[in-house]
Each structure stands twice: as C-alpha cells, then as structure tokens.
Amino acid sequence: MMTSECMPVTLEFGGGAELLFNNLKEHELQLPNSRIWTVRELLIWMKDNLIAERPDLFFHGDSVRPGILVLVNETDWELMGELEYEIQRKDKIMFISTLHGG
Amino acid sequence: MDALNFLSKKEEVEKEINELKSQIEEKKRVLETLVSNQNKHNLTNWEISRYSRQILVPNIGIKGQESFKNGKVLIIGAGGLGCPAAQYLAGCGIGHIGLVDYDEVEENNLHRQLLHQENSIGTSKVRSAAQALRSINSHIKVDEYPVQLNSLNAIQIMQSYSVVIDASDNPSTRYLVNDACIMTKLPLVSGSAVGMEGQLTVYNYKGGPCYRCLFPDPPPPNTVSNCGDAGVLGPVPGVIGTMQALQAIHILLESEGVLSSKLLLFDGADTKFRTVKLRGKSAGCVVCGENPTITRLIDYEQFCGAPANDKHAAVNLLKPEERITVSELRTALKEKGKPVVIDVRSKTEFDICRLPGSVNIPLADIEKQSAQNTLKSVISKSPNPNEPVYVICRRGNDSQKAVKKLRELMLLNQDFFDVRGGLHAWARDIDHTFPIY
C-alpha cells in the first residue's frame, strides 16, 4: 500500500498492558486511509489484529476494561470524545493500565 | 540539724530550684518570641540553622519553612512508597506526620522499604518506620496507627491532617482513601509502583478530579498486579514516594506544580518521565459530583471484589480429588518414574528455582498453540504417557487455573492434577533446602 493511502498512527502501552501486546510498548501502525477511523474502530481493529493474548484482560464491551486509561496525544480521551474521537495522521494513542502496588 | 529539719529544708531548696528552672524556660520562650518578632517569623535560631539549606531556596524561604512546621501529613502505607515519602517529609521538618499500616516488616520488604532494618523483621511497620523518623528528626510529632484503615476508622484518623498520601498497595484501600478524602475535604497525593513503572497524581485538589472521576468502576481483580507477583525494583517506588513527598510540600506551600488533573508516568526501564493531561472533576461522579450518591463510606472490599491488602488468599477452583499434596507428588516422583511435571510460573520465576525435570509452561502462555505443542510432545516422550500430569506453581493457585484450562483445551484423554500449596508447600514439607520467595 502506498504511504498516501495509509495513515501512520503510534500506539503505546504501559502499566503492564504491553504484556498483552507481545510485550511491545510501542506499535507503529499504518491504517488504511480509505475510511475515517474513530477510537471505537481502532479498538475493534486491535481486537482482531493486534492483541496477542487474553483479550478479556484488555477489552470490555466495545471499550477498554475498567482501570485502563486511554490517552490521545498525551491527553485523557475523555476530553477528546472517547470512542468517537476521529484519529488523525501521526496521532499517538496510549493505553495505560493503572498501577495499584506500593 | 535533725533528720526532719534536714528533709524539709532540702525540699524547700529543691522547690526553689524547680521554680527557677521554669522561670528560665519561660524567659527563654519570651526571648524566642522577642527574637522571632524582631525577625517577623516564628522559627527559632535552631530551626533556621537546621533547615537553612532548604530555607535558602527562594521557593521555600522562611514562609515555606513555617508552613512545613505547621504541616500535618498522613501517610497510608509504610512500604515502598510510604518509606521514602515519610523520610523526606521528616527531614524537611514537617511538624506532624501520621503513619497508617496494619502490616509487619518482612524480609522481602527490606530491599525497598528502607526505613525498616533487619532487626525490625516481624515488628509493626508503623512502629519501625516511626522510630526511624524520630531518629532522623526528634523535633517533629509522629503519630502511629498500626491498624488496617477501614470505613469505620478512616475519617476519624484523617481529620487531624491537612494532606493525605496514598502509599497503599491495593484498589480497595485506594477507593476508601479517595472517598474519605472527599468527605474530609483533604487533598490526596496518590502514588503507585509495580515492576519498573510508577504513576503519580493528586486528587481532590482545588476543583480537580478524584480517583472515582477517573475510575468510576473498580478493575476486575484478576487484572490487578502487585509487587509480590510482578516484582518491583526498589528505586522505582523510591522515585514515586519521594515525588509524593514533593507533591505534599507543593500543597502545603500552595505553590504551582501540583499534579492536579495531570498524571505523571515514570518508566524506569527506559528512564522516561511523562506528564499527561487528565479530565477535570466529573459532574456525575458518585462521590465528588453534583449529586453524590456515596455520602458515607461503604464496604470497599465488596465494591472491588478483593481484600484490602496485597496478600494471597488461597483459591479453590478444583474438587479435592483433582488435587494432590506435595507428599503425594514426592511418592509419584519416586515410584512412577519420571511423571510429567508442568511448572506454570513465569520464566523469571522458573529461573529462580524448579523441581528437577519439571517443564516450564507459563500460565499466560497456556492457551497458545506453541505451549500445547510443547506439552503434547513432553507427554508423548515420557516413559509413561498415560500417567497423570502434575501441574505446579508457587502457591497452588495458578496451578488450579492451569488445570482447569488444560482440561478445556486438551482433546487427548489426559489426567491433570494440581499440587496443593505449590512450591511453597514443597519447601515447607518436603525439601527444606528449596528456596522460598
């Protein structure tokens, strides 16, 4: 696929969420540019294509499970429209599992 | 002079001495007040000398040191986060520090909980940490609460303080501390650390969000990792706990730099600090929103479906006849000649210690095709492929999960047994030279 037909997006995982994604903290994606991608659609894509194990520890319904914080370009997704946020070229989406230990 | 006369004269002189002594003390106080009035502050010369290196920092100054002296900080948890937080606050001269922890010092705490000493193993963490704080600074007040914080005592304990530091280790306590802070209107410095990572934020500060605004629903218990399972490297909670002390200081000083509506993420593996922007206070929050439905503390263990500690409760997923004891395992190893033993701990744990001949298939991998292929091949190569397979782990919890999974996954007619109590039981009952971690 030519670059112009793809949308580069970076996914980052932290707080242990990376363990479910092949233990990789950063994933560089090229999403097909043929449609609009919302976070909702990204999550579906991740469920089908990216998660390596135990999806129930990450997803819940059409969202992420309680205790996982989603950040769009280092901002809480709640301020960005959550599932409906339209992903832009070169966006960085982070999935941080909250830590409880001490 | 007769004896009676002597005694009464002696008493009289002693009384005079005491009166003079208290007069001297009183005069000293008058002088101190005079000096500090002259200086326009209430720090003594001793305090100025002791804290001079931080008073010299323009952000602190005399006013800041006065705020420290009047500061009252409660620390929930005297562990990996609470120790460094308390140590720095005591060093700074925070006038009143409270410590809450129900737990006792264990040997495996000492690598990171540096207020505790080898000779405090088995004693109260709060006692041990308080003694250490008093030896750092004998001029501050340290209150000890060697109790489990709960819905009955939390508000009572917290209302004597002006800032709360959450240095606890489990979600139930974190929700409890959050709700109690809302009810007592106290800012909450929340830190956490596991493995190589830490997180830090401040809740309920000047209209910012609370823990529930961010996390209205508790995490499923099976997704909560803790230091006892995932491990933790000492300096990581050291960094976060130290920064919790710094946040408490910012709050006492009412200065900029309070992490309200912001979350600091620390990744010690690649030495990265990041501060991300969080949502504001949620109008619909059940505890701090416009129409709160939680106005009294609730049962947090029930809410989270997990106890308010990071200890391990034994789980019972299998029927008694599906489990064997470590002595039965020893007999099987002796008599049956090389039965297959599957160890479902992580590779890191398997590298620490293992039963000779056991094969490592981590629980996390058990559903993978590669893991099942390994298992099938190990079984087919064993001298007695029809013998049951024994599944072992650290404490006998994960091995039950593994047995359940394997029964679902394996099509071949294979018997699986889990070993009760796991390698801990093996070390206790069979082989005293086997390490316990």
Side-chain angles (χ1 to χ4, degrees), chain B residues 154-174:
Chain B
I155 293 200
Q156 170 78 28
I157 292 174
M158 280 158 66
Q159 60 195 4
S160 313
Y161 297 87
S162 49
V163 180
V164 176
I165 289 182
D166 187 344
S168 71
D169 58 11
N170 65 84
S172 300
T173 303
R174 289 182 183 275

Side-chain angles (χ1 to χ4, degrees), chain B residues 37 113 240 399 413:
Chain B
N37 281 350
Q113 303 179 13
I240 300 295
S399 53
N413 196 15

